[in-house]
Amino acid sequence: MRRSRRMAAAVSALAVAATGLVSAAVIGVGPAVAAPCDPAQSGQSPQGRQSQQPGRNQQGRDQQAPQGGSVAVDPQSPDDQDNPTTFSRRRQPTRSTSPTPSPTGNQGNPDNGDNSGDNGDNGSGNNDGADNGNNNGDNGNGGNNGDNGGNNGNDPGNGNGNDNGTGNDNGNGNGGDDGGDNGDADPSQSPSPSPTADDPCAGLGPFVQDFVDIRQVQPRRLDAGIGRGGSRGTFAAQCGTNRDGHNNPDNFIVAPGVSNGAHHLHDYVGNLSTDAFSTDESLAAAGTTCRLNDQSTYFWPVIRDRRSEANADDPDGNVGQVLRARSVQLQFRGNANSRVVAMPRFLRIITGDAKAATNGTANARSAWTCTGFQNRIATDKYPLCPRGSQVVRILDFPSCWDGQNTDSANHRTHIVFPDQNGACPQGTRAVPALRMTLTYAVPQGPSFALDAFPEQKHNPVTDHADFVNVMPDRLMQNVVNCINQGRRC
């Protein structure tokens, strides 16, 4: 009898447990898990859900932009984006695989031994390798990652960043293919743990250390002072915010005729036809979103909300919901020391370096700030803005033209930047200087990122933009007159 009662009780308990499991499945009860590629929550954040920075970005409605010129403002709410579809499924968080780099390289961290030993596919890594890999004097981080110790030589920006990195055999090389060749590699480049089955977003970037509270950035001047012979006027091209969703991953300037030549998505305003196959003739025949029949094309990489699983299967790792700019200011400015001359039609200009995280920062021109804090400019960090403030991207274009060519082999030597005093080099002449200022309502905390080439880890130093002048000659002359006469047009 006792045995029968015990068996009945056991059966009853199993039935209750089974009922609970079924109920949980039906109502969707389960553990709270991290968003797929959110640096603030996923396994690629060394601190998990705890951001290192106190500042918080809110999807505020502040439409402030830098002074001067007109601004195209998107009237829609921050949640009404180009691609509204999001998914509720989330992945289970895993152990962090992204060590925090030391700016000086003198802070050896034995916890990083996992990255030197466990991931040491190319070497004999061990925990001591991690200790020593972060102890490279002023230029540390060599040997910190067993998978690719050589490439981590790019972090400190010295040609031999891994001389002391003993975490793996390759850590003793010349800093990888790019580290040795580019002695000015950006020190903010993040370590690169490899994706795993448990955390396919590990190593995609950005990382928590790629963000900074804007209030911790020191104030500085962005522009040279205008001298007596300088040109003070401005002209604003009004072209909208890409509400029609003109996007593609092409770049006909640097990769003509190649679909997905950019490996990241661009926002376009202006010329309606711009894609990988654009030519002078096709641009001249197309419509435009700009006023005054400005058929020029203006484009830049999109920013994404990384909390979302939108675009989760992207082969280049550009995961998340596209955030359209809340305002777009396209302002042509003068030169600090001279009057400007007209740009030739079809002049091609690029700014920044989409591969600056591996190429080095010689051509980098990223500038990040927040509305209300435009005197604080971060060049290698995403800004964390206070409540009610929006993220701002400032993209300045070179404006000292050689007077002959509309393009060059490297797309740079035909038009260069003025020196630090605003003067153009000998043999060049000043043309109207384009400044793009883009504002965004982004998610709270370090949960947004630029689209980028996959090996760039969404590093903010890779921000860049492109422009081709297709203004009618009469409109370009009006731009020149406004600038030289000190007017705001």
Side-chain angles (χ1 to χ4, degrees):
M1 180 65 69
R2 290 181 180 177
R3 185 174 182 182
S4 299
R5 289 176 179 173
R6 290 175 181 171
M7 291 181 65
V11 170
S12 177
L14 288 173
V16 170
T19 302
L21 289 173
V22 171
S23 298
V26 170
I27 65 175
V29 174
V33 295
C37 293
D38 183 354
Q41 300 185 33
S42 73
Q44 59 182 313
S45 167
Q47 282 74 34
R49 291 180 178 269
Q50 298 178 1
S51 169
Q52 291 179 331
Q53 309 298 343
R56 295 189 298 176
N57 281 315
Q58 299 293 334
Q59 291 184 338
R61 299 183 182 273
D62 181 7
Q63 300 300 335
Q64 179 180 354
Q67 296 181 354
S70 300
V71 182
V73 179
D74 182 355
Q76 301 182 35
S77 69
D79 294 328
D80 185 13
Q81 303 298 343
D82 293 334
N83 301 305
T85 306
T86 57
F87 302 90
S88 60
R89 178 170 56 86
R90 295 290 183 264
R91 296 189 180 94
Q92 183 70 33
T94 60
R95 176 176 60 85
S96 167
T97 57
S98 173
T100 302
S102 167
T104 61
N106 288 322
Q107 299 176 5
N109 184 358
D111 293 337
N112 292 336
D114 288 339
N115 288 306
S116 182
D118 294 345
N119 295 329
D121 293 339
N122 296 321
S124 58
N126 51 53
N127 287 343
D128 289 337
D131 291 338
N132 295 329
N134 274 340
N135 195 15
N136 289 338
D138 290 336
N139 297 299
N141 264 354
N144 193 34
N145 188 327
D147 280 337
N148 202 353
N151 284 338
N152 276 346
N154 296 335
D155 292 356
N158 70 330
N160 295 305
N162 287 317
D163 285 346
N164 296 326
T166 58
N168 54 61
D169 293 342
N170 290 342
N172 290 318
N174 289 325
D177 292 338
D178 295 310
D181 293 338
N182 296 286
D184 58 349
D186 184 68
S188 70
Q189 183 187 358
S190 305
S192 306
S194 299
T196 65
D198 292 333
D199 189 358
C201 295
L204 287 183
F207 305 92
V208 170
Q209 57 267 27
D210 291 326
F211 295 79
V212 65
D213 184 342
I214 192 63
R215 292 165 292 191
Q216 296 178 0
V217 177
Q218 293 301 309
R220 71 180 181 90
R221 290 188 61 176
L222 189 61
D223 302 313
I226 299 178
R228 180 174 298 178
S231 40
R232 300 174 179 271
T234 61
F235 178 92
Q238 299 181 31
C239 303
T241 61
N242 193 25
R243 290 187 61 182
D244 295 332
H246 182 182
N247 300 99
N248 61 53
D250 304 340
N251 190 324
F252 76 97
I253 299 176
V254 299
V258 180
S259 296
N260 195 36
H263 292 272
H264 52 264
L265 198 67
H266 286 128
D267 262 331
Y268 293 86
V269 297
N271 199 286
L272 294 173
S273 69
T274 315
D275 62 16
F277 307 98
S278 292
T279 63
D280 292 353
E281 293 74 21
S282 69
L283 294 172
T288 180
T289 67
C290 300
R291 294 182 60 225
L292 305 177
N293 197 34
D294 176 8
Q295 296 167 284
S296 301
T297 179
Y298 307 80
F299 56 103
W300 54 84
V302 301
I303 286 180
R304 293 182 188 268
D305 177 353
R306 296 300 290 266
R307 301 170 306 174
S308 166
E309 284 189 359
N311 212 41
D313 296 326
D314 183 67
D316 298 311
N318 292 307
V319 178
Q321 180 74 42
V322 171
L323 299 173
R324 188 173 64 245
R326 301 294 293 152
S327 67
V328 174
Q329 181 186 53
L330 306 172
Q331 186 184 69
F332 292 88
R333 301 149 56 89
N335 181 270
N337 294 278
S338 71
R339 295 165 65 87
V340 299
V341 301
M343 291 180 182
R345 204 166 191 222
F346 305 116
L347 177 66
R348 287 157 162 75
I349 316 179
I350 64 175
T351 187
D353 185 355
K355 298 184 178 181
T358 53
N359 284 347
T361 58
N363 292 314
R365 288 283 169 170
S366 55
W368 296 87
T369 184
C370 302
T371 54
F373 295 85
Q374 278 91 334
N375 64 331
R376 300 173 185 265
I377 306 294
T379 59
D380 60 356
K381 304 287 184 185
Y382 292 112
L384 296 174
C385 304
R387 185 182 300 274
S389 176
Q390 295 186 349
V391 166
V392 180
R393 298 162 70 182
I394 301 173
L395 294 154
D396 281 321
F397 283 71
S399 57
C400 298
W401 175 49
D402 67 7
Q404 297 181 358
N405 300 294
T406 57
D407 201 358
S408 51
N410 64 358
H411 314 294
R412 298 185 190 275
T413 54
H414 67 295
I415 186 165
V416 298
F417 282 93
D419 65 22
Q420 61 183 0
N421 297 316
C424 281
Q426 186 175 1
T428 65
R429 59 189 72 179
V431 295
L434 173 60
R435 170 174 288 178
M436 294 181 178
T437 305
L438 317 173
T439 66
Y440 294 83
V442 301
Q444 176 182 335
S447 302
F448 62 95
L450 279 174
D451 265 22
F453 286 97
E455 73 276 8
Q456 303 305 306
K457 309 301 180 186
H458 303 278
N459 194 312
V461 79
T462 64
D463 202 8
H464 62 280
D466 303 75
F467 165 72
V468 178
N469 172 44
V470 198
M471 289 186 185
D473 291 341
R474 178 176 296 181
L475 176 58
M476 175 54 65
Q477 192 58 53
N478 288 340
V479 173
V480 169
N481 292 339
C482 285
I483 293 172
N484 287 338
Q485 295 171 10
R487 295 186 287 125
R488 290 188 175 184
C489 302

